[in-house]
Amino acid sequence: GYHCNCSRERVEKALISIGENEMKSIIEDGKPIEMNCHFCNKHYVFEVEEIKERLLKAKEAKKMKKKMAKARLIKRTEKTDV
């Protein structure tokens, strides 16, 4: 039979992909949200606190990416200064 490989983590990634503003608006509503898997229709509920945590994590990840990109840029310019 068919087995869906959805997981809370995958649905969470979809939640993060809606973007910062959308996540902030969900937090401001102050109500948990329910997300469904499009394939098997399994329900996943995310509490407001969880959404806040995910938003913070997403922001941190964004900052790290910027730092890494900057570090790569600096390394590149150091090489060309020779």
Side-chain angles (χ1 to χ4, degrees), residues 44-57:
Y44 293 91
V45 175
F46 292 90
E47 299 296 328
V48 175
E49 280 309 309
E50 281 179 283
I51 299 166
K52 280 183 189 174
E53 280 173 34
R54 297 310 170 266
L55 182 60
L56 280 173
K57 272 189 192 171

Side-chain angles (χ1 to χ4, degrees), residues 3-82:
H3 172 74
C4 187
N5 62 354
C6 72
S7 68
R8 190 169 178 82
E9 279 171 10
R10 282 187 171 189
V11 176
E12 196 177 287
K13 281 182 182 154
L15 170 65
I16 291 165
S17 74
I18 65 171
E20 221 173 277
N21 291 337
E22 202 58 39
M23 285 176 78
K24 280 179 184 170
S25 122
I26 292 169
I27 292 166
E28 282 166 18
D29 284 344
K31 292 186 214 101
I33 62 156
E34 187 179 289
M35 293 179 76
N36 302 335
C37 170
H38 292 298
F39 304 103
C40 69
N41 208 29
K42 186 173 176 184
H43 303 284
Y44 293 91
V45 175
F46 292 90
E47 299 296 328
V48 175
E49 280 309 309
E50 281 179 283
I51 299 166
K52 280 183 189 174
E53 280 173 34
R54 297 310 170 266
L55 182 60
L56 280 173
K57 272 189 192 171
K59 278 183 174 179
E60 286 304 310
K62 207 190 237 180
K63 276 184 197 169
M64 280 305 291
K65 274 185 187 170
K66 275 187 180 174
K67 274 186 185 169
M68 300 286 277
K70 232 181 214 177
R72 278 196 297 272
L73 199 66
I74 291 166
K75 275 186 184 157
R76 225 179 276 136
T77 51
E78 282 172 358
K79 284 178 188 168
T80 55
D81 285 346
V82 181

